[in-house]
Amino acid sequence: MRDSVEPLTKYERSRKKMVETQIRARGITEARLLAAMERVPRHLFVSEAFSEKAYGDHPLPIGEGQTISQPYMVATMIDALDLQGEERVLEIGTGSGYQAAVLAELSAQVFTIERIPSLGTRARELLENLGYTNIAFRIGDGTIGWREASPFDAILVSAAAPKIPKALTEQLADGGRLAIPIGGSLSQVLKQVTRRGEALETRTVCGCVFVPLIGRDGWP
Ligand code: SAH
């Protein structure tokens, strides 16, 4: 723990500024979410070549043609899940593991699935080294969900799908929230889906651009 008289490190300062200027200034006010994003060391989730750019207002490459989302998009998606702290959360698209870390700060248990083994393995090593004990990892096709661990109170899909995969709404608890980018390859809209019994309540949050969700119920 940092002594209160010690100055903030360079990266802590960048993180504070990121939260203030990119997230709070754009209207996200949930205190627990802002605090979590001030804690998670985003620069460790990108390669060293990009650590200086890690707190910038943009996505960054993480290898294998994939990206870590822009900080504001990470915040917007998580905000749409309305997490209170006791939830079991499913994330599709572990990627760098950054969003999984923020989710783990805000919920009881995170289940995260990545289809590219090298990314999933690297994220797991990093998150375990950082001391996260409430994240379960799987390599595979997330469009079919994680049936044994369902139902989930919240599901976050961080890749763009042509339509909402049926398995995911089936694995959502009653009252649970799903955040997912839906649309074509160039741009999508972020949808927030709430399950009410057998009915699904859908709302459009904002426009967005994500890498494709590839799998049985995604893109071929
Ligand atoms: N949340 C990530 C963002 C990763 S980008 C982060 O914070 O870094 C989206 C990721 O989804 C990519 O790593 C991609 O390989 C993965 N992905 C795409 N289709 C998938 C599928 N069907 N199942 C699991 N992961 C998938």
Side-chain angles (χ1 to χ4, degrees):
M1 278 292 101
R2 186 166 45 80
D3 191 305
S4 59
V5 295
E6 245 178 61
L8 295 179
T9 65
K10 175 178 77 172
Y11 288 123
E12 285 169 330
R13 278 200 308 276
S14 306
R15 252 190 331 269
K16 257 187 182 308
K17 189 168 158 220
M18 170 192 88
V19 168
E20 287 309 318
T21 62
Q22 301 173 33
I23 300 173
R24 197 198 300 274
R26 291 183 181 135
I28 292 182
T29 54
E30 223 296 288
R32 291 173 67 242
L33 172 56
L34 298 176
M37 292 192 68
E38 233 177 77
R39 279 194 301 273
V40 178
R42 181 171 162 97
H43 62 282
L44 300 181
F45 292 82
V46 295
S47 68
E48 256 175 65
F50 292 113
S51 12
E52 299 294 328
K53 294 200 163 103
Y55 297 99
D57 195 12
H58 43 67
L60 283 170
I62 55 171
E64 308 283 353
Q66 306 303 318
T67 53
I68 178 173
S69 305
Q70 174 197 21
Y72 177 63
M73 191 45 66
V74 171
T76 302
M77 290 196 100
I78 296 181
D79 203 37
L81 299 179
D82 194 22
L83 299 174
Q84 305 298 312
E86 294 306 315
E87 292 85 357
R88 292 156 45 80
V89 183
L90 175 66
E91 180 196 35
I92 314 300
T94 315
S96 69
Y98 173 70
Q99 189 148 29
V102 181
L103 290 170
E105 298 270 342
L106 296 168
S107 65
Q109 176 78 44
V110 176
F111 298 83
T112 184
I113 310 177
E114 170 57 52
R115 64 176 283 275
I116 300 178
S118 60
L119 293 178
T121 307
R122 194 171 67 198
R124 179 183 195 145
E125 279 170 12
L126 174 58
L127 290 164
E128 287 178 353
N129 283 335
L130 287 172
Y132 288 98
T133 55
N134 60 338
I135 308 177
F137 300 85
R138 178 176 274 190
I139 304 290
D141 177 7
T143 67
I144 61 173
W146 191 326
R147 192 163 297 283
E148 310 88 277
S150 69
F152 301 100
D153 306 299
I155 301 179
L156 191 160
V157 183
S158 52
K163 59 177 181 350
I164 299 172
K166 195 158 186 289
L168 300 185
T169 48
E170 282 170 2
Q171 292 175 30
L172 195 60
D174 197 7
R177 282 87 54 208
L178 162 70
I180 182 169
I182 298 286
S185 56
L186 295 182
S187 73
Q188 307 94 31
V189 288
L190 178 63
K191 296 277 185 191
Q192 179 202 47
V193 181
T194 307
R195 180 167 182 171
R196 307 257 180 236
E198 290 312 301
L200 299 174
E201 222 174 77
T202 303
R203 163 175 101 83
T204 297
V205 179
C206 59
C208 55
V209 182
F210 279 83
V211 297
L213 182 74
I214 296 168
R216 193 194 71 182
D217 268 355
W219 297 100

